[in-house]
Short mmCIF file of all heavy atoms in Angstrom, two decimals:
data_model
loop_
_atom_site.label_atom_id
_atom_site.label_comp_id
_atom_site.label_asym_id
_atom_site.label_seq_id
_atom_site.Cartn_x
_atom_site.Cartn_y
_atom_site.Cartn_z
N CYS A 1 -19.14 7.69 -19.09
CA CYS A 1 -17.77 7.71 -18.58
C CYS A 1 -16.75 7.90 -19.67
O CYS A 1 -17.11 7.96 -20.84
CB CYS A 1 -17.46 6.50 -17.81
SG CYS A 1 -17.77 4.99 -18.71
N ARG A 2 -15.47 7.95 -19.32
CA ARG A 2 -14.37 7.99 -20.23
C ARG A 2 -13.19 7.29 -19.57
O ARG A 2 -13.07 7.16 -18.35
CB ARG A 2 -13.92 9.41 -20.61
CG ARG A 2 -14.47 10.56 -20.01
CD ARG A 2 -14.01 11.83 -20.42
NE ARG A 2 -12.69 11.96 -21.05
CZ ARG A 2 -12.15 13.12 -21.29
NH1 ARG A 2 -12.64 14.23 -20.87
NH2 ARG A 2 -10.96 13.11 -21.93
N THR A 3 -12.28 6.90 -20.39
CA THR A 3 -11.01 6.27 -19.91
C THR A 3 -9.90 7.30 -20.04
O THR A 3 -10.08 8.39 -20.55
CB THR A 3 -10.71 5.00 -20.76
OG1 THR A 3 -10.49 5.50 -22.14
CG2 THR A 3 -11.71 3.96 -20.69
N ASN A 4 -8.80 6.92 -19.50
CA ASN A 4 -7.53 7.80 -19.61
C ASN A 4 -7.64 9.16 -18.97
O ASN A 4 -7.01 10.14 -19.37
CB ASN A 4 -7.09 7.92 -21.02
CG ASN A 4 -6.81 6.65 -21.70
OD1 ASN A 4 -6.37 5.66 -21.06
ND2 ASN A 4 -7.00 6.54 -22.95
N VAL A 5 -8.46 9.30 -17.94
CA VAL A 5 -8.63 10.55 -17.21
C VAL A 5 -7.50 10.56 -16.10
O VAL A 5 -7.39 9.66 -15.35
CB VAL A 5 -10.06 10.70 -16.56
CG1 VAL A 5 -10.13 11.97 -15.71
CG2 VAL A 5 -11.05 10.71 -17.65
N LYS A 6 -6.76 11.66 -16.07
CA LYS A 6 -5.69 11.81 -15.09
C LYS A 6 -6.04 12.83 -13.99
O LYS A 6 -5.25 12.91 -13.06
CB LYS A 6 -4.37 12.26 -15.80
CG LYS A 6 -3.98 11.36 -16.91
CD LYS A 6 -3.66 9.98 -16.45
CE LYS A 6 -3.07 9.10 -17.68
NZ LYS A 6 -3.41 7.76 -17.55
N LYS A 7 -7.07 13.61 -14.12
CA LYS A 7 -7.39 14.61 -13.21
C LYS A 7 -8.13 14.02 -11.94
O LYS A 7 -8.72 12.93 -12.11
CB LYS A 7 -8.34 15.61 -13.85
CG LYS A 7 -8.49 16.90 -13.12
CD LYS A 7 -9.22 17.92 -13.93
CE LYS A 7 -9.22 19.29 -13.25
NZ LYS A 7 -9.87 20.30 -13.99
N HIS A 8 -8.03 14.67 -10.86
CA HIS A 8 -8.61 14.16 -9.61
C HIS A 8 -8.02 12.93 -9.04
O HIS A 8 -8.60 12.19 -8.22
CB HIS A 8 -10.20 13.98 -9.75
CG HIS A 8 -10.88 15.18 -10.38
ND1 HIS A 8 -10.99 16.36 -9.69
CD2 HIS A 8 -11.49 15.24 -11.53
CE1 HIS A 8 -11.64 17.18 -10.50
NE2 HIS A 8 -11.98 16.54 -11.68
N VAL A 9 -6.82 12.60 -9.39
CA VAL A 9 -6.12 11.45 -8.83
C VAL A 9 -5.63 11.89 -7.44
O VAL A 9 -5.01 12.86 -7.32
CB VAL A 9 -4.97 11.01 -9.73
CG1 VAL A 9 -4.15 9.86 -9.04
CG2 VAL A 9 -5.49 10.55 -11.11
N LYS A 10 -5.84 11.02 -6.43
CA LYS A 10 -5.45 11.39 -5.10
C LYS A 10 -3.96 11.23 -4.83
O LYS A 10 -3.41 11.84 -3.93
CB LYS A 10 -6.20 10.55 -4.10
CG LYS A 10 -7.72 10.89 -4.06
CD LYS A 10 -8.46 10.13 -3.08
CE LYS A 10 -9.92 10.53 -3.07
NZ LYS A 10 -10.69 9.81 -2.14
N GLY A 11 -3.32 10.45 -5.59
CA GLY A 11 -1.84 10.30 -5.51
C GLY A 11 -1.45 9.56 -4.30
O GLY A 11 -0.49 9.96 -3.64
N THR A 12 -2.08 8.44 -4.02
CA THR A 12 -1.72 7.61 -2.85
C THR A 12 -0.47 6.68 -3.22
O THR A 12 0.09 6.18 -2.25
CB THR A 12 -2.87 6.65 -2.46
OG1 THR A 12 -3.10 5.83 -3.62
CG2 THR A 12 -4.06 7.40 -2.13
N GLY A 13 -0.04 6.72 -4.43
CA GLY A 13 1.15 6.02 -4.78
C GLY A 13 0.87 4.62 -5.18
O GLY A 13 1.70 3.81 -5.64
N LYS A 14 -0.31 4.07 -4.89
CA LYS A 14 -0.66 2.71 -5.12
C LYS A 14 -1.60 2.69 -6.35
O LYS A 14 -2.72 3.23 -6.37
CB LYS A 14 -1.37 2.06 -3.93
CG LYS A 14 -1.80 0.66 -4.09
CD LYS A 14 -2.48 0.15 -2.80
CE LYS A 14 -3.03 -1.19 -3.07
NZ LYS A 14 -3.88 -1.69 -1.91
N PRO A 15 -1.15 2.08 -7.50
CA PRO A 15 -2.04 2.06 -8.68
C PRO A 15 -3.19 1.14 -8.47
O PRO A 15 -3.21 0.20 -7.69
CB PRO A 15 -1.12 1.50 -9.79
CG PRO A 15 -0.03 0.82 -9.08
CD PRO A 15 0.17 1.45 -7.73
N SER A 16 -4.25 1.47 -9.21
CA SER A 16 -5.57 0.67 -9.15
C SER A 16 -5.30 -0.80 -9.61
O SER A 16 -4.57 -0.99 -10.59
CB SER A 16 -6.61 1.29 -9.92
OG SER A 16 -7.80 0.50 -9.93
N PHE A 17 -5.96 -1.74 -9.00
CA PHE A 17 -5.91 -3.13 -9.44
C PHE A 17 -6.50 -3.27 -10.82
O PHE A 17 -6.18 -4.22 -11.49
CB PHE A 17 -6.60 -4.06 -8.45
CG PHE A 17 -8.17 -3.84 -8.46
CD1 PHE A 17 -8.90 -4.64 -9.28
CD2 PHE A 17 -8.76 -2.84 -7.64
CE1 PHE A 17 -10.34 -4.45 -9.28
CE2 PHE A 17 -10.12 -2.75 -7.67
CZ PHE A 17 -10.90 -3.48 -8.50
N ALA A 18 -7.34 -2.37 -11.27
CA ALA A 18 -7.97 -2.40 -12.59
C ALA A 18 -6.98 -2.12 -13.72
O ALA A 18 -7.32 -2.35 -14.86
CB ALA A 18 -9.16 -1.46 -12.64
N LEU A 19 -5.83 -1.56 -13.39
CA LEU A 19 -4.89 -1.25 -14.41
C LEU A 19 -4.00 -2.35 -14.84
O LEU A 19 -3.19 -2.36 -15.82
CB LEU A 19 -3.97 -0.07 -13.95
CG LEU A 19 -4.71 1.24 -13.64
CD1 LEU A 19 -3.75 2.28 -13.08
CD2 LEU A 19 -5.38 1.75 -14.98
N LYS A 20 -4.10 -3.56 -14.15
CA LYS A 20 -3.33 -4.75 -14.59
C LYS A 20 -3.93 -5.31 -15.78
O LYS A 20 -5.13 -5.31 -16.04
CB LYS A 20 -3.26 -5.75 -13.37
CG LYS A 20 -2.58 -5.21 -12.16
CD LYS A 20 -2.59 -6.34 -11.07
CE LYS A 20 -1.90 -5.72 -9.85
NZ LYS A 20 -1.97 -6.68 -8.68
N ASP A 21 -3.06 -5.93 -16.61
CA ASP A 21 -3.56 -6.46 -17.90
C ASP A 21 -4.21 -7.90 -17.77
O ASP A 21 -4.97 -8.26 -18.62
CB ASP A 21 -2.37 -6.61 -18.83
CG ASP A 21 -1.91 -5.22 -19.36
OD1 ASP A 21 -2.73 -4.35 -19.38
OD2 ASP A 21 -0.81 -5.20 -19.75
N ASP A 22 -4.01 -8.55 -16.68
CA ASP A 22 -4.44 -9.94 -16.53
C ASP A 22 -5.83 -10.09 -15.76
O ASP A 22 -6.06 -11.17 -15.29
CB ASP A 22 -3.38 -10.77 -15.75
CG ASP A 22 -3.10 -10.23 -14.37
OD1 ASP A 22 -3.46 -9.06 -14.10
OD2 ASP A 22 -2.48 -10.96 -13.58
N ASN A 23 -6.51 -8.96 -15.71
CA ASN A 23 -7.88 -9.08 -15.11
C ASN A 23 -8.87 -8.48 -16.04
O ASN A 23 -8.64 -7.78 -16.98
CB ASN A 23 -7.87 -8.40 -13.69
CG ASN A 23 -7.64 -6.95 -13.80
OD1 ASN A 23 -7.89 -6.29 -14.79
ND2 ASN A 23 -7.09 -6.34 -12.71
N PRO A 24 -10.20 -8.80 -15.72
CA PRO A 24 -11.28 -8.35 -16.55
C PRO A 24 -11.81 -6.94 -16.19
O PRO A 24 -12.88 -6.59 -16.70
CB PRO A 24 -12.39 -9.37 -16.42
CG PRO A 24 -12.17 -9.78 -14.95
CD PRO A 24 -10.66 -9.78 -14.71
N TYR A 25 -11.10 -6.18 -15.50
CA TYR A 25 -11.57 -4.87 -15.03
C TYR A 25 -11.03 -3.66 -15.87
O TYR A 25 -9.88 -3.77 -16.34
CB TYR A 25 -11.26 -4.64 -13.54
CG TYR A 25 -11.80 -5.75 -12.67
CD1 TYR A 25 -10.95 -6.69 -12.12
CD2 TYR A 25 -13.14 -5.84 -12.43
CE1 TYR A 25 -11.48 -7.70 -11.36
CE2 TYR A 25 -13.68 -6.85 -11.65
CZ TYR A 25 -12.86 -7.74 -11.14
OH TYR A 25 -13.35 -8.76 -10.34
N GLN A 26 -11.80 -2.63 -15.96
CA GLN A 26 -11.39 -1.41 -16.68
C GLN A 26 -11.67 -0.24 -15.76
O GLN A 26 -12.85 -0.11 -15.26
CB GLN A 26 -12.16 -1.31 -17.98
CG GLN A 26 -11.76 -0.10 -18.80
CD GLN A 26 -10.38 -0.15 -19.41
OE1 GLN A 26 -9.93 -1.22 -19.84
NE2 GLN A 26 -9.70 0.91 -19.42
N LEU A 27 -10.66 0.62 -15.53
CA LEU A 27 -10.87 1.81 -14.79
C LEU A 27 -11.41 2.95 -15.67
O LEU A 27 -10.85 3.20 -16.77
CB LEU A 27 -9.50 2.27 -14.13
CG LEU A 27 -9.57 3.44 -13.22
CD1 LEU A 27 -10.33 3.09 -11.96
CD2 LEU A 27 -8.08 3.85 -12.92
N VAL A 28 -12.46 3.61 -15.21
CA VAL A 28 -13.13 4.67 -15.97
C VAL A 28 -13.46 5.82 -15.07
O VAL A 28 -13.47 5.60 -13.81
CB VAL A 28 -14.45 4.21 -16.68
CG1 VAL A 28 -14.12 3.09 -17.69
CG2 VAL A 28 -15.43 3.76 -15.72
N TYR A 29 -13.68 6.98 -15.55
CA TYR A 29 -14.06 8.14 -14.80
C TYR A 29 -15.52 8.34 -15.05
O TYR A 29 -16.01 8.60 -16.19
CB TYR A 29 -13.28 9.33 -15.17
CG TYR A 29 -13.52 10.56 -14.39
CD1 TYR A 29 -12.98 10.68 -13.08
CD2 TYR A 29 -14.42 11.58 -14.79
CE1 TYR A 29 -13.29 11.73 -12.22
CE2 TYR A 29 -14.68 12.68 -13.96
CZ TYR A 29 -14.10 12.76 -12.68
OH TYR A 29 -14.40 13.79 -11.92
N ASP A 30 -16.41 8.31 -14.00
CA ASP A 30 -17.78 8.46 -14.07
C ASP A 30 -18.13 9.99 -14.18
O ASP A 30 -17.78 10.75 -13.26
CB ASP A 30 -18.47 7.85 -12.86
CG ASP A 30 -20.01 7.88 -12.89
OD1 ASP A 30 -20.56 8.65 -13.73
OD2 ASP A 30 -20.65 7.12 -12.13
N LEU A 31 -18.67 10.41 -15.26
CA LEU A 31 -18.92 11.85 -15.50
C LEU A 31 -20.12 12.39 -14.65
O LEU A 31 -20.24 13.53 -14.39
CB LEU A 31 -19.21 12.12 -17.01
CG LEU A 31 -18.04 11.80 -17.88
CD1 LEU A 31 -18.45 11.89 -19.36
CD2 LEU A 31 -16.87 12.69 -17.56
N GLN A 32 -21.03 11.46 -14.28
CA GLN A 32 -22.19 11.90 -13.48
C GLN A 32 -21.84 12.07 -11.99
O GLN A 32 -22.18 13.02 -11.32
CB GLN A 32 -23.32 10.95 -13.66
CG GLN A 32 -23.90 10.95 -15.06
CD GLN A 32 -24.84 9.80 -15.33
OE1 GLN A 32 -24.60 8.66 -14.86
NE2 GLN A 32 -25.84 10.06 -16.09
N LYS A 33 -21.09 11.04 -11.47
CA LYS A 33 -20.74 11.11 -10.05
C LYS A 33 -19.41 11.77 -9.75
O LYS A 33 -18.90 11.85 -8.65
CB LYS A 33 -20.70 9.69 -9.47
CG LYS A 33 -22.11 9.08 -9.51
CD LYS A 33 -22.17 7.78 -8.74
CE LYS A 33 -23.58 7.26 -8.78
NZ LYS A 33 -23.69 5.98 -8.05
N LYS A 34 -18.64 12.10 -10.90
CA LYS A 34 -17.42 12.79 -10.77
C LYS A 34 -16.37 12.01 -9.92
O LYS A 34 -15.79 12.55 -8.94
CB LYS A 34 -17.55 14.25 -10.31
CG LYS A 34 -18.36 15.07 -11.35
CD LYS A 34 -18.41 16.46 -10.86
CE LYS A 34 -18.99 17.40 -11.82
NZ LYS A 34 -20.26 17.28 -12.34
N GLY A 35 -16.22 10.80 -10.29
CA GLY A 35 -15.24 9.88 -9.52
C GLY A 35 -14.87 8.70 -10.39
O GLY A 35 -15.52 8.46 -11.42
N TYR A 36 -13.85 8.01 -10.00
CA TYR A 36 -13.35 6.85 -10.69
C TYR A 36 -14.22 5.64 -10.31
O TYR A 36 -14.59 5.46 -9.13
CB TYR A 36 -11.91 6.63 -10.35
CG TYR A 36 -10.98 7.63 -10.98
CD1 TYR A 36 -10.58 8.73 -10.30
CD2 TYR A 36 -10.55 7.50 -12.23
CE1 TYR A 36 -9.78 9.74 -10.85
CE2 TYR A 36 -9.74 8.43 -12.86
CZ TYR A 36 -9.42 9.55 -12.10
OH TYR A 36 -8.55 10.44 -12.67
N ARG A 37 -14.46 4.84 -11.27
CA ARG A 37 -15.26 3.55 -11.06
C ARG A 37 -14.56 2.42 -11.85
O ARG A 37 -13.74 2.75 -12.80
CB ARG A 37 -16.68 3.70 -11.53
CG ARG A 37 -17.45 4.81 -10.96
CD ARG A 37 -17.75 4.46 -9.50
NE ARG A 37 -18.60 5.49 -8.85
CZ ARG A 37 -18.19 6.47 -8.15
NH1 ARG A 37 -16.89 6.66 -7.88
NH2 ARG A 37 -19.02 7.32 -7.57
N VAL A 38 -14.84 1.26 -11.44
CA VAL A 38 -14.31 0.11 -12.15
C VAL A 38 -15.43 -0.72 -12.77
O VAL A 38 -16.41 -1.01 -12.16
CB VAL A 38 -13.56 -0.84 -11.12
CG1 VAL A 38 -13.05 -2.13 -11.81
CG2 VAL A 38 -12.35 -0.06 -10.55
N ILE A 39 -15.18 -0.98 -14.07
CA ILE A 39 -16.23 -1.88 -14.82
C ILE A 39 -15.67 -3.25 -15.01
O ILE A 39 -14.56 -3.42 -15.35
CB ILE A 39 -16.54 -1.24 -16.19
CG1 ILE A 39 -17.18 0.10 -16.08
CG2 ILE A 39 -17.36 -2.15 -17.05
CD1 ILE A 39 -17.40 0.80 -17.44
N ASN A 40 -16.51 -4.24 -14.59
CA ASN A 40 -16.11 -5.64 -14.85
C ASN A 40 -16.52 -5.99 -16.22
O ASN A 40 -17.70 -5.99 -16.62
CB ASN A 40 -16.83 -6.48 -13.85
CG ASN A 40 -16.40 -7.92 -13.93
OD1 ASN A 40 -15.77 -8.34 -14.89
ND2 ASN A 40 -16.78 -8.73 -12.96
N CYS A 41 -15.57 -6.20 -17.13
CA CYS A 41 -15.88 -6.49 -18.53
C CYS A 41 -16.51 -7.84 -18.70
O CYS A 41 -17.14 -8.06 -19.80
CB CYS A 41 -14.59 -6.42 -19.32
SG CYS A 41 -13.83 -4.74 -19.42
#
């Protein structure tokens, strides 16, 4: 995967819960499944 991917965003207007600083989650883009996933750190 990679972080900081902006392509393929659906634009629902609601940011992912993984983008908050106070949680152990990291939003990544899965290169094999071609979609966003959340990793629990």
Side-chain angles (χ1 to χ4, degrees):
C1 54
R2 10 180 337 193
T3 57
N4 300 331
V5 175
K6 305 294 184 212
K7 197 170 186 178
H8 308 295
V9 176
K10 293 183 180 177
T12 60
K14 182 179 173 187
S16 172
F17 69 93
L19 297 176
K20 295 180 182 177
D21 291 333
D22 61 343
N23 64 26
Y25 302 107
Q26 180 70 38
L27 183 67
V28 298
Y29 185 79
D30 186 343
L31 297 171
Q32 295 167 323
K33 295 188 177 182
K34 295 183 170 61
Y36 290 93
R37 302 291 183 264
V38 175
I39 294 176
N40 184 348
C41 293

